[in-house]
Amino acid sequence: MCSKGVDMKIALLQGGLGQEAEVSRNTGKAFEKALVALNYDYVVIEADDNLIPKLISEKPDCALIALHGKYAEDGTVQGICEYLKIPYTGSGLLASALAMDKLRTKEVLSFYDIPTPKFAVFRRGEDDLESFDCSIKAPCVVKPVREGSSVGISIVDEQKDFKAALELASRYDRHVLIEEKVSGPECTVSVVKDQAFTPIEIRPKQGFYDYKNKYTKGATNYLLPPELSDEKIRELKDLALKVFKILDLHHYARIDFMMHNGSPYFIEANTLPGCTETSLLPQAAAHDGVDFNQLIDGLIKNARLDYEGVV
Ligand SMILES: Nc1ncnc2c1ncn2[C@@H]1O[C@H](COP(=O)(O)OP(=O)(O)O)[C@@H](O)[C@H]1O
Ligand SMILES: [Mg+2]
């Protein structure tokens, strides 16, 4: 853990090499505002091709990761920090890589009987697009195994659109996840330390929660608290904490669920969730009494190396 307090030098990592670089800069801006308010010494580092030499020359005491998606949320940046012995915020290398991979996460969680929509996989280069006989038929959801912000995802309501959806998703990853479409509503649960905050119900005004509905102001209604019974809210929170533990996540995460026939089904875990002041995790935290600066201070104070404390 970072124990030097405000005297330490923080490297705020933003941008990145993936599809979510712009989204990441928004998180970065919000983090920077908090660092100023909290009186930390910091440097903003664009996580471009020169990230490693920049980290070596800056020698920060802690990396505050404001990145999302590929090369960031998937263990890559965590591996760099591990190698350079720079404690970093959020989950470790394996937990990040696992949670980024929607297919392997579902396989692991299924082992622990966590409900998740039925699924199949298409492997580019092994399975033939023309003859691929998928066990899951429309209505289904087709997604790249490792992406974020709904990039490359299609909801397929009619079988005739299945092939185009597979083609699109396989542009973003070698493996494509095909999931049974579940009815909703959609709920996301933010976890910080060992506390699950009140879930937020997500209701896009049109269609599903795609990139546009995620980042266009007013396109989606958010219900905090959700329109669910206290019992269902408790069930969602308990499930989120269980998933957090099974995946060995560290300090914070946002876990997405969809209700299906009245019960929560796991969709995915976000290990570096959007963190502007209006993003979902900070909103849920604020609702339950944790303000934004407190949240960022907590991230920094709990930054660590996976191999910390072992020989
Ligand atoms: N099995 C499913 N059934 C219905 N809708 C889904 C399903 N899986 C995903 N979705 C919709 O697609 C959105 C994005 O999917 P998700 O797996 O969370 O990917 P991302 O990592 O891009 O956020 C979800 O927020 C939800 O609206
Ligand atoms: Mg999601």
Side-chain angles (χ1 to χ4, degrees):
M1 304 283 163
C2 281
S3 53
K4 281 171 85 177
V6 288
D7 292 338
M8 64 183 164
K9 178 173 168 184
I10 313 282
L12 166 56
L13 309 188
Q14 65 168 29
L17 305 177
Q19 297 284 325
E20 295 177 274
E22 261 330 291
V23 181
S24 154
R25 288 199 188 87
N26 294 333
T27 294
K29 260 184 231 148
F31 278 9
E32 190 171 359
K33 218 173 123 195
L35 289 173
V36 172
L38 293 162
N39 213 18
Y40 276 109
D41 178 19
Y42 70 92
V43 56
V44 178
I45 295 184
E46 275 292 314
D48 55 17
D49 291 340
N50 293 315
L51 174 63
I52 297 170
K54 285 179 192 174
L55 284 172
I56 291 172
S57 89
E58 291 290 350
K59 296 191 178 58
D61 297 299
C62 165
L64 172 60
I65 305 180
L67 304 163
H68 307 297
K70 279 193 182 122
Y71 301 103
E73 203 158 343
D74 57 2
T76 308
V77 161
Q78 291 76 8
I80 291 170
C81 290
E82 287 289 338
Y83 202 81
L84 298 177
K85 308 264 187 316
I86 302 169
Y88 52 94
T89 54
S91 295
L93 196 163
L94 175 62
S96 301
L98 175 61
M100 180 76 182
D101 188 312
K102 295 182 170 86
L103 170 67
R104 274 82 193 179
T105 301
K106 283 166 71 79
E107 286 172 347
V108 169
L109 293 179
S110 300
F111 178 83
Y112 289 95
D113 296 324
I114 303 289
T116 188
K118 288 197 193 90
F119 60 102
V121 58
F122 172 82
R123 293 180 169 82
R124 175 157 52 85
E126 286 176 50
D127 295 319
D128 176 45
L129 194 68
E130 300 304 327
S131 60
F132 182 60
D133 183 20
C134 189
S135 57
I136 310 280
K137 308 284 182 214
C140 61
V141 182
V142 176
K143 42 180 114 165
V145 159
R146 297 165 299 176
E147 244 320 330
S149 287
S150 299
V151 172
I153 297 190
S154 310
I155 306 271
V156 177
D157 285 317
E158 291 183 54
Q159 202 56 31
K160 68 174 175 49
D161 300 322
F162 182 66
K163 196 180 132 203
L166 268 191
E167 272 173 332
L168 174 71
S170 54
R171 297 219 311 252
Y172 295 94
D173 207 344
R174 286 181 292 119
H175 294 166
V176 174
L177 181 69
I178 302 108
E179 252 183 2
E180 168 190 34
K181 180 182 171 185
V182 292
S183 55
E186 181 166 357
C187 283
T188 191
V189 186
S190 302
V191 177
V192 175
K193 271 217 134 154
D194 38 20
Q195 185 185 359
F197 293 131
T198 306
I200 301 179
E201 188 176 330
I202 297 167
R203 283 197 198 164
K205 289 180 187 160
Q206 277 183 338
F208 78 107
Y209 199 38
D210 59 6
Y211 192 93
K212 202 170 114 264
N213 285 331
K214 280 179 177 170
Y215 301 113
T216 310
K217 225 177 165 184
T220 298
N221 288 324
Y222 297 98
L223 278 66
L224 175 59
E227 261 179 22
L228 292 172
S229 66
D230 288 349
E231 189 198 333
K232 285 291 158 198
I233 290 177
R234 168 81 6 238
E235 199 180 329
L236 270 166
K237 287 167 122 184
D238 287 349
L239 206 51
L241 290 172
K242 227 167 155 179
V243 168
F244 194 91
K245 200 161 177 197
I246 293 169
L247 300 179
D248 193 25
L249 305 182
H250 177 63
H251 193 67
Y252 81 132
R254 214 196 69 229
I255 304 178
D256 296 344
F257 295 93
M258 291 195 74
M259 304 301 287
H260 186 45
N261 302 326
S263 292
Y265 276 57
F266 170 87
I267 298 292
E268 63 144 352
N270 303 280
T271 52
L272 293 174
C275 249
T276 68
E277 284 188 54
T278 55
S279 299
L280 300 176
L281 183 141
Q283 287 292 313
H287 178 269
D288 289 3
V290 177
D291 76 25
F292 193 75
N293 292 345
Q294 241 176 304
L295 190 67
I296 307 312
D297 204 28
L299 290 190
I300 294 167
K301 295 218 163 90
N302 287 281
R304 69 167 192 196
L305 288 164
D306 237 2
Y307 281 131
E308 204 169 79
V310 295
V311 284

